[in-house]
Amino acid sequence: MSAPARSQLEELGLSATCAEVLHHLWDYLDDQITPAGAERLRAHIAACKQCQQYEDYQECFLRAVSGLRQELGAPESLRERLAERLKGQGCSCWNKVRRGP
Amino acid sequence: MTTATMVMSRSPDHLVEEPDVTADAGPEARSASDVARDAAFEREALPWLDDVYRFALSLTREESDADDVVQETFLRAYRSWHTFIPGTDCRRWLFTICRNVFLRSRERQRPTVDLEDGEQDAVAASSVYSAARERGYDDIFARLDLAPALQEALDELAEPFRSAVILVDVEDMSYESAAEVMGVPIGTVRSRLFRGRRLLQEKLVTVAEDLGFQGAGAR
């Protein structure tokens, strides 16, 4: 761990195990760490109220970001233009770009 | 003009992007190849038009720019269809082209950013949380509809952090897929993603303060 990172954690008054959660919670929530590492974090979080609250906070944040995904469709005007340009390229499926009735 | 002269007169891009049609293939053989290519393009690529449009719009933030990027993306995809590997993730392939088209269109506007490593941002994010907690804001994501502010913060986020957040958190791509789309190592996606998340959280705490949000239990 780098000196500035260690210093920040000391300021927050956190233990080394809590520090591991802080460092790797996003990796954990993103399913990017080994099963053994994930199990270790899971066990610690289950037993540590502070880390549980931090996990809740980050999970809520990631859900909020994920919720920004809109089911936007490509506008009809874009489909028309793209269909014409694909037709110009000799693409036989150009008409499939348009939405069906 | 000889065949050799004709080939040499083509631009490198043309040589790269044109389907591989052998010189001695007859009209019937070429037609069969084209039919197969078009069928594959229709089946694999066209269903992702809405997704590519949504991604382009999140990058450009302007509908007219997104239209141009999407058209260019699909035209390039069609011309370069021979480089798509059947059985691989066509959505990821199209997103890669889309982002490259976008970046090329903005080449002169690309900001130069100083990248911190992922660890620094992960720890810095905990400091943001700590500050939010002191103000009783640790449940703001659950209690306050921050979607408009979050969207605005995401729109204002600098590249390449915005792309990392959009690909992984909004479009639900794996780090590996996002790395391929962005053309960077997985570790770079991670550090950009973490920086992007941390910046978004800082922005949202500021928004909550500006709104006069009263936390459940200010400490």
Side-chain angles (χ1 to χ4, degrees), chain A residues 7-52:
Chain A
S7 168
Q8 275 181 293
L9 290 168
E10 283 169 3
E11 280 175 25
L12 293 168
L14 297 171
S15 72
T17 322
C18 294
E20 192 177 26
V21 173
L22 291 188
H23 279 119
H24 298 294
L25 184 63
W26 278 337
D27 294 312
Y28 169 71
L29 294 176
D30 291 344
D31 202 18
Q32 294 290 322
I33 55 178
T34 62
E39 188 49 48
R40 191 169 64 249
L41 291 188
R42 194 176 298 116
H44 173 79
I45 291 169
C48 174
K49 190 179 176 192
Q50 203 171 1
C51 286
Q52 276 174 29

Coordinates of all heavy atoms in Angstrom, one line a residue, chain A residues 7-52:
Chain A
S7 N -1.8 6.7 4.9 CA -2.1 7.9 5.7 C -3.6 8.2 5.7 O -4.1 8.5 6.8 CB -1.3 9.1 5.1 OG -1.7 10.2 5.7
Q8 N -4.2 8.1 4.5 CA -5.6 8.4 4.5 C -6.4 7.4 5.3 O -7.4 7.8 6.0 CB -6.1 8.3 3.0 CG -5.9 9.6 2.2 CD -6.4 9.4 0.8 OE1 -5.9 8.6 0.0 NE2 -7.5 10.1 0.5
L9 N -6.0 6.2 5.3 CA -6.8 5.2 6.1 C -6.6 5.4 7.6 O -7.5 5.3 8.4 CB -6.3 3.8 5.7 CG -6.7 3.3 4.3 CD1 -5.9 2.1 3.9 CD2 -8.2 3.1 4.3
E10 N -5.4 5.8 8.0 CA -5.2 6.1 9.4 C -6.0 7.3 9.8 O -6.6 7.2 10.9 CB -3.7 6.4 9.6 CG -2.8 5.1 9.6 CD -1.3 5.4 9.6 OE1 -1.0 6.6 9.6 OE2 -0.6 4.4 9.5
E11 N -6.2 8.2 8.9 CA -7.0 9.4 9.3 C -8.5 9.0 9.5 O -9.2 9.5 10.3 CB -7.0 10.4 8.1 CG -5.8 11.3 8.1 CD -5.7 12.2 6.9 OE1 -6.8 12.5 6.4 OE2 -4.6 12.6 6.5
L12 N -8.9 8.0 8.7 CA -10.2 7.5 8.8 C -10.4 6.5 10.0 O -11.5 6.1 10.3 CB -10.6 6.7 7.5 CG -10.8 7.6 6.3 CD1 -10.9 6.7 5.0 CD2 -12.0 8.5 6.4
G13 N -9.3 6.2 10.6 CA -9.4 5.3 11.8 C -9.8 3.9 11.5 O -10.6 3.3 12.2
L14 N -9.3 3.3 10.4 CA -9.8 2.0 9.9 C -8.7 0.9 10.1 O -7.6 1.2 10.1 CB -10.2 2.0 8.4 CG -11.3 3.0 8.1 CD1 -11.5 3.1 6.6 CD2 -12.6 2.5 8.7
S15 N -9.2 -0.3 10.4 CA -8.3 -1.4 10.6 C -7.8 -1.9 9.2 O -8.3 -1.5 8.2 CB -9.1 -2.6 11.2 OG -9.9 -3.1 10.3
A16 N -6.8 -2.7 9.3 CA -6.2 -3.2 8.1 C -7.2 -4.1 7.3 O -7.2 -4.0 6.0 CB -4.9 -4.1 8.4
T17 N -8.1 -4.8 7.9 CA -9.1 -5.6 7.2 C -10.1 -4.7 6.6 O -10.5 -5.0 5.5 CB -9.7 -6.6 8.2 OG1 -8.8 -7.1 9.1 CG2 -10.4 -7.7 7.5
C18 N -10.5 -3.7 7.3 CA -11.4 -2.7 6.7 C -10.8 -2.1 5.5 O -11.4 -1.8 4.5 CB -11.8 -1.7 7.7 SG -12.8 -2.2 9.1
A19 N -9.5 -1.8 5.7 CA -8.8 -1.2 4.6 C -8.8 -2.0 3.3 O -8.9 -1.5 2.2 CB -7.3 -0.9 5.0
E20 N -8.7 -3.3 3.5 CA -8.8 -4.2 2.4 C -10.1 -4.1 1.7 O -10.2 -4.1 0.4 CB -8.5 -5.7 2.8 CG -8.3 -6.6 1.7 CD -8.0 -8.0 2.1 OE1 -8.4 -8.4 3.2 OE2 -7.3 -8.7 1.3
V21 N -11.2 -4.0 2.4 CA -12.5 -3.8 1.9 C -12.6 -2.5 1.1 O -13.1 -2.4 0.0 CB -13.6 -3.8 3.0 CG1 -15.0 -3.4 2.4 CG2 -13.7 -5.1 3.6
L22 N -12.0 -1.4 1.7 CA -12.0 -0.1 1.0 C -11.3 -0.2 -0.3 O -11.7 0.4 -1.3 CB -11.4 1.0 1.9 CG -12.2 1.4 3.1 CD1 -11.5 2.6 3.8 CD2 -13.6 1.7 2.8
H23 N -10.2 -0.9 -0.3 CA -9.4 -1.0 -1.5 C -10.0 -1.8 -2.6 O -9.9 -1.5 -3.8 CB -8.0 -1.6 -1.2 CG -7.0 -0.7 -0.6 ND1 -6.5 -0.9 0.6 CD2 -6.5 0.4 -1.1 CE1 -5.6 0.1 0.9 NE2 -5.6 0.9 -0.2
H24 N -10.7 -2.8 -2.2 CA -11.2 -3.8 -3.2 C -12.7 -4.0 -3.3 O -13.2 -4.9 -3.9 CB -10.5 -5.2 -2.9 CG -9.0 -5.1 -3.0 ND1 -8.4 -4.9 -4.2 CD2 -8.1 -5.2 -2.1 CE1 -7.1 -4.9 -4.0 NE2 -6.8 -5.1 -2.7
L25 N -13.4 -3.1 -2.6 CA -14.9 -3.3 -2.7 C -15.4 -3.2 -4.1 O -16.3 -4.0 -4.5 CB -15.6 -2.2 -1.8 CG -17.1 -2.4 -1.7 CD1 -17.5 -3.8 -1.0 CD2 -17.8 -1.3 -0.9
W26 N -14.9 -2.2 -4.9 CA -15.4 -2.1 -6.2 C -15.0 -3.3 -7.1 O -15.8 -3.8 -7.9 CB -14.9 -0.8 -6.9 CG -15.7 0.4 -6.5 CD1 -17.0 0.4 -6.1 CD2 -15.2 1.7 -6.6 NE1 -17.4 1.7 -5.9 CE2 -16.3 2.6 -6.2 CE3 -14.0 2.4 -6.9 CZ2 -16.2 3.9 -6.1 CZ3 -14.0 3.7 -6.9 CH2 -15.0 4.5 -6.5
D27 N -13.8 -3.8 -6.8 CA -13.4 -5.1 -7.5 C -14.3 -6.2 -7.1 O -14.7 -7.0 -8.0 CB -11.9 -5.4 -7.1 CG -10.9 -4.4 -7.7 OD1 -11.0 -4.0 -8.8 OD2 -10.1 -4.0 -6.9
Y28 N -14.7 -6.2 -5.8 CA -15.5 -7.3 -5.3 C -16.9 -7.2 -5.9 O -17.5 -8.2 -6.4 CB -15.6 -7.1 -3.8 CG -16.6 -8.0 -3.1 CD1 -16.5 -9.3 -3.0 CD2 -17.7 -7.3 -2.4 CE1 -17.5 -10.1 -2.3 CE2 -18.6 -8.0 -1.7 CZ -18.5 -9.4 -1.7 OH -19.5 -10.1 -1.0
L29 N -17.5 -6.0 -5.9 CA -18.8 -5.8 -6.5 C -18.9 -6.0 -8.0 O -19.9 -6.4 -8.5 CB -19.3 -4.4 -6.1 CG -19.6 -4.1 -4.6 CD1 -20.0 -2.6 -4.5 CD2 -20.7 -5.0 -4.1
D30 N -17.7 -5.8 -8.6 CA -17.6 -6.0 -10.1 C -17.3 -7.4 -10.4 O -17.1 -7.7 -11.6 CB -16.6 -5.0 -10.7 CG -17.0 -3.6 -10.6 OD1 -18.2 -3.3 -10.4 OD2 -16.1 -2.7 -10.8
D31 N -17.1 -8.3 -9.4 CA -16.8 -9.7 -9.6 C -15.4 -9.8 -10.3 O -15.3 -10.6 -11.2 CB -17.9 -10.4 -10.4 CG -17.9 -11.8 -10.2 OD1 -17.3 -12.3 -9.2 OD2 -18.5 -12.6 -11.0
Q32 N -14.5 -9.1 -9.8 CA -13.2 -9.1 -10.5 C -12.1 -9.6 -9.6 O -10.9 -9.5 -10.0 CB -12.8 -7.6 -10.9 CG -13.7 -7.0 -12.0 CD -13.5 -7.7 -13.3 OE1 -12.4 -8.0 -13.7 NE2 -14.6 -7.8 -14.0
I33 N -12.4 -10.2 -8.5 CA -11.4 -10.8 -7.7 C -11.6 -12.3 -7.5 O -12.6 -12.8 -7.9 CB -11.3 -10.1 -6.3 CG1 -12.6 -10.2 -5.5 CG2 -10.8 -8.7 -6.4 CD1 -12.6 -9.6 -4.2
T34 N -10.5 -13.0 -7.1 CA -10.6 -14.4 -7.0 C -11.7 -14.9 -6.0 O -12.0 -14.2 -5.1 CB -9.2 -15.0 -6.5 OG1 -9.0 -14.4 -5.1 CG2 -8.1 -14.5 -7.4
P35 N -12.2 -16.1 -6.2 CA -13.2 -16.6 -5.3 C -12.7 -16.6 -3.8 O -13.5 -16.2 -2.9 CB -13.4 -18.1 -5.8 CG -13.0 -18.0 -7.2 CD -11.9 -17.0 -7.3
A36 N -11.4 -16.9 -3.6 CA -10.9 -16.9 -2.2 C -10.9 -15.5 -1.7 O -11.3 -15.3 -0.5 CB -9.5 -17.5 -2.2
G37 N -10.5 -14.5 -2.5 CA -10.5 -13.1 -2.0 C -11.9 -12.6 -1.8 O -12.2 -12.0 -0.8
A38 N -12.8 -13.0 -2.7 CA -14.2 -12.6 -2.5 C -14.8 -13.2 -1.2 O -15.5 -12.5 -0.5 CB -15.0 -13.1 -3.7
E39 N -14.5 -14.4 -0.9 CA -15.0 -15.1 0.3 C -14.5 -14.4 1.5 O -15.2 -14.2 2.5 CB -14.6 -16.6 0.3 CG -15.3 -17.4 1.4 CD -16.8 -17.1 1.5 OE1 -17.5 -17.2 0.5 OE2 -17.2 -16.9 2.6
R40 N -13.2 -14.0 1.5 CA -12.6 -13.3 2.6 C -13.3 -12.0 2.9 O -13.6 -11.6 4.0 CB -11.1 -13.1 2.4 CG -10.3 -12.7 3.6 CD -8.8 -12.7 3.5 NE -8.3 -11.8 2.5 CZ -7.8 -12.2 1.3 NH1 -7.7 -13.4 1.0 NH2 -7.3 -11.3 0.5
L41 N -13.5 -11.2 1.8 CA -14.2 -9.9 2.0 C -15.6 -10.1 2.4 O -16.1 -9.4 3.3 CB -14.2 -9.2 0.6 CG -12.8 -8.6 0.2 CD1 -13.0 -7.7 -1.0 CD2 -12.1 -7.9 1.3
R42 N -16.3 -11.1 1.8 CA -17.7 -11.4 2.2 C -17.8 -11.7 3.7 O -18.7 -11.1 4.4 CB -18.2 -12.6 1.4 CG -19.8 -12.7 1.4 CD -20.3 -13.8 0.5 NE -19.9 -13.6 -0.8 CZ -19.1 -14.3 -1.6 NH1 -18.6 -15.4 -1.1 NH2 -18.9 -14.0 -2.9
A43 N -16.9 -12.5 4.2 CA -16.9 -12.9 5.6 C -16.7 -11.6 6.5 O -17.3 -11.4 7.5 CB -15.9 -13.9 5.9
H44 N -15.7 -10.8 6.1 CA -15.4 -9.6 6.9 C -16.6 -8.6 6.9 O -17.0 -8.1 7.9 CB -14.2 -8.9 6.4 CG -14.0 -7.6 7.1 ND1 -13.4 -7.5 8.4 CD2 -14.3 -6.3 6.7 CE1 -13.4 -6.2 8.7 NE2 -13.9 -5.5 7.8
I45 N -17.2 -8.4 5.7 CA -18.3 -7.5 5.6 C -19.5 -7.9 6.4 O -20.2 -7.1 7.1 CB -18.7 -7.3 4.1 CG1 -17.6 -6.6 3.4 CG2 -20.0 -6.5 4.0 CD1 -17.8 -6.6 1.8
A46 N -19.7 -9.2 6.4 CA -20.9 -9.8 7.2 C -20.7 -9.5 8.7 O -21.7 -9.4 9.4 CB -21.0 -11.3 7.0
A47 N -19.4 -9.4 9.1 CA -19.2 -9.2 10.6 C -18.9 -7.8 11.0 O -18.7 -7.5 12.1 CB -18.0 -10.1 11.0
C48 N -18.8 -6.9 10.0 CA -18.4 -5.5 10.3 C -19.4 -4.5 9.9 O -19.7 -4.3 8.7 CB -17.0 -5.2 9.6 SG -16.5 -3.5 9.8
K49 N -20.1 -3.9 10.8 CA -21.2 -3.0 10.5 C -20.7 -1.8 9.6 O -21.4 -1.4 8.7 CB -21.8 -2.5 11.8 CG -23.1 -1.7 11.6 CD -23.7 -1.2 12.9 CE -24.9 -0.4 12.6 NZ -25.4 0.4 13.8
Q50 N -19.5 -1.3 9.9 CA -19.0 -0.2 9.2 C -18.8 -0.5 7.7 O -19.2 0.2 6.8 CB -17.7 0.2 9.8 CG -17.3 1.7 9.5 CD -16.1 2.1 10.3 OE1 -15.5 1.3 11.1 NE2 -15.6 3.3 10.2
C51 N -18.3 -1.7 7.5 CA -18.1 -2.1 6.1 C -19.4 -2.5 5.4 O -19.5 -2.3 4.2 CB -17.1 -3.3 6.0 SG -15.4 -2.8 6.3
Q52 N -20.4 -3.0 6.2 CA -21.7 -3.3 5.6 C -22.3 -2.0 5.1 O -22.9 -1.9 4.0 CB -22.6 -3.9 6.7 CG -22.5 -5.3 6.9 CD -23.3 -5.8 8.0 OE1 -24.4 -5.2 8.4 NE2 -22.9 -6.9 8.7

